[in-house]
Amino acid sequence: MASKTTTGLLCFTSGALAGAAIGLLYAPETGRETRSWLSYQLEKYRSVLADLTESLVTSRDSTPSSAKSEGQRVIQDAKSKAEQLLGDVDQLISQINSRRAIN
């Protein structure tokens, strides 16, 4: 049950972040204001994802031995998805900063 919950939470979070980013790019605010706000939000979510990754790694040691192999697989999957999201956030931030430098 925890594996489905974790996977569902990560999928929902990544979908929400992608949808919010796309929606903000087409927002009626000026480009500079939108990029500034989006950069702030991405930095905030980046730290949340980094904390989530760290907590997943540390919780791996407390997994009961009967479910240890399955738990480690789920944790590794969640960790890789979180790292992928962190990479996507870093890429978006660098794109925003490069556009900010142009304007």
Side-chain angles (χ1 to χ4, degrees), residues 9 24 36 49 52 54 68 71 74 89:
L9 181 62
L24 287 174
S36 175
L49 285 172
L52 174 65
E54 182 62 32
K68 189 171 186 175
V74 169
V89 166

Side-chain angles (χ1 to χ4, degrees), residues 56 60 71-81 83:
L56 288 172
R60 176 177 60 186
Q72 286 177 345
R73 185 190 64 77
V74 169
I75 289 170
Q76 186 60 36
D77 288 346
K79 180 182 175 187
S80 66
K81 288 177 184 177
E83 288 172 347

Side-chain angles (χ1 to χ4, degrees), residues 5-19 85:
T5 303
T6 303
T7 303
L9 181 62
L10 285 173
C11 289
F12 174 77
T13 303
S14 62
L17 286 173
L85 285 172

Side-chain angles (χ1 to χ4, degrees), residues 40-95:
Y40 168 76
Q41 291 297 323
L42 288 174
E43 282 292 334
K44 186 173 79 171
Y45 288 125
R46 184 184 186 287
S47 65
V48 170
L49 285 172
D51 292 342
L52 174 65
T53 302
E54 182 62 32
S55 70
L56 288 172
V57 169
T58 57
S59 71
R60 176 177 60 186
D61 297 333
S62 64
T63 307
S65 61
S66 63
K68 189 171 186 175
S69 62
E70 179 65 21
Q72 286 177 345
R73 185 190 64 77
V74 169
I75 289 170
Q76 186 60 36
D77 288 346
K79 180 182 175 187
S80 66
K81 288 177 184 177
E83 288 172 347
Q84 182 180 3
L85 285 172
L86 285 172
D88 292 345
V89 166
D90 285 339
Q91 184 179 9
L92 283 171
I93 289 172
S94 66
Q95 288 175 354

Side-chain angles (χ1 to χ4, degrees), residues 19-36:
I22 291 170
L24 287 174
L25 292 175
Y26 292 102
E29 298 294 324
T30 64
R32 179 171 286 149
E33 291 173 359
T34 301
R35 286 189 298 274
S36 175

